[in-house]
């Protein structure tokens, strides 16, 4: 998905220029206002800055995350676009029935092994008994492993003057230049 985002940004810059005007919701006052972002300043993040987490890469292209509470070696893989599409479809279906298992579903999809063990039944039990702190840690470490464009840029709210780095929203208007 990071590659797709990079291609979309490059296409947008080549087709319409680097200046991108869109609406942004202020994180402080919740006022919606127009902001301009410079897409040429978007930098690539290579998924290689996970120093705050106990992570080791393997020769298989997977990663071992050592959980802080249970001290388990959790081997994970990066999701591909097919996996991400599946998770979105699954969550959409569950939203109709008011179930939210998106975090468990994501962890289940990235798992390769836990202390060298694997299998659907084992993973189901692992996820059911996983402490919340370890779950948060796995998700936070995983987010540092995923290469993607760094879509954060500075925003100053014209209503309240609040200044903060925000994610550049990629809406339908990304390719609809006014």
């Amino acid at each position: 998905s990071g590659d797709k985002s990079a291609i979309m940004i490059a296409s947008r810059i080549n087709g319409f220029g680097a200046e991108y005007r869109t609406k942004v919701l202020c994180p402080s006052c919740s006022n919606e206002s127009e902001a301009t972002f410079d897409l040429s300043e978007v930098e690539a993040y290579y998924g290689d800055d996970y120093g705050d987490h106990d992570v080791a890469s393997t020769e298989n292209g997977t990663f071992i995350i050592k959980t802080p509470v249970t001290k388990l070696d959790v081997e994970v893989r990066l999701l591909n676009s097919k996996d991400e599409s599946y998770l979105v479809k699954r969550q959409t279906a569950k939203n109709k029935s008011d179930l939210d298992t998106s975090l468990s579903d994501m962890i289940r999809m990235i798992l390769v092994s836990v202390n060298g063990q694997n299998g659907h039944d084992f993973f189901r039990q692992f996820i059911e008994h996983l402490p919340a702190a370890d779950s948060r840690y796995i998700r936070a470490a995983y987010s540092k492993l995923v290469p993607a464009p760094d879509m954060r840029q500075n925003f100053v709210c014209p209503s309240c003057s609040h200044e903060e780095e925000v994610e550049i929203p990629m809406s339908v208007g990304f390719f609809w230049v006014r």
Side-chain angles (χ1 to χ4, degrees):
S1 65
D3 291 342
K4 286 182 180 180
S5 295
I7 290 168
M8 285 182 56
I9 292 165
S11 297
R12 170 60 167 76
I13 291 171
N14 288 332
F16 302 107
E19 185 178 277
Y20 172 49
R21 291 175 41 191
T22 188
K23 300 222 182 244
V24 177
L25 197 62
C26 176
S28 179
C29 72
S30 299
N31 186 44
E32 186 178 68
S33 60
E34 191 164 279
T36 302
F37 298 99
D38 185 350
L39 297 176
S40 68
E41 292 182 9
V42 172
E43 294 183 14
Y45 173 70
Y46 298 102
D48 55 358
D49 183 17
Y50 42 85
D52 294 348
H53 296 88
D54 191 354
V55 176
S57 61
T58 71
E59 45 189 54
N60 301 344
T62 60
F63 301 88
I64 306 288
I65 301 171
K66 175 72 101 180
T67 57
V69 176
T70 56
K71 306 295 184 205
L72 297 170
D73 288 334
V74 178
E75 184 178 6
V76 300
R77 68 180 181 88
L78 297 180
L79 296 175
N80 58 37
S81 352
K82 184 177 177 183
D83 298 329
E84 291 171 351
S85 294
Y86 172 79
L87 285 173
V88 168
K89 287 178 187 171
R90 187 168 168 88
Q91 189 55 44
T92 301
K94 288 183 177 184
N95 283 346
K96 294 176 184 174
S97 62
D98 290 332
L99 289 173
D100 186 5
T101 60
S102 57
L103 300 177
S104 300
D105 291 342
M106 189 274 266
I107 291 175
R108 186 175 293 110
M109 295 232 19
I110 65 173
L111 281 177
V112 173
S113 71
V114 178
N115 283 352
Q117 296 183 39
N118 57 28
H120 293 299
D121 290 337
F122 177 78
F123 288 162
R124 184 180 45 75
Q125 287 182 345
F126 167 74
I127 291 168
E128 284 177 11
H129 296 95
L130 184 65
D134 280 353
S135 175
R136 274 192 309 276
Y137 187 83
I138 291 168
R139 287 180 280 117
Y142 178 82
S143 72
K144 295 289 192 173
L145 300 172
V146 179
D150 182 355
M151 297 292 289
R152 293 172 298 157
Q153 285 191 12
N154 196 47
F155 166 75
V156 179
C157 179
S159 297
C160 71
S161 299
H162 176 77
E163 187 171 346
E164 185 176 325
E165 261 194 349
V166 297
E167 285 282 324
I168 300 171
M170 287 180 72
S171 64
V172 175
F174 195 71
F175 285 107
W176 189 314
V177 178
R178 296 179 252 153

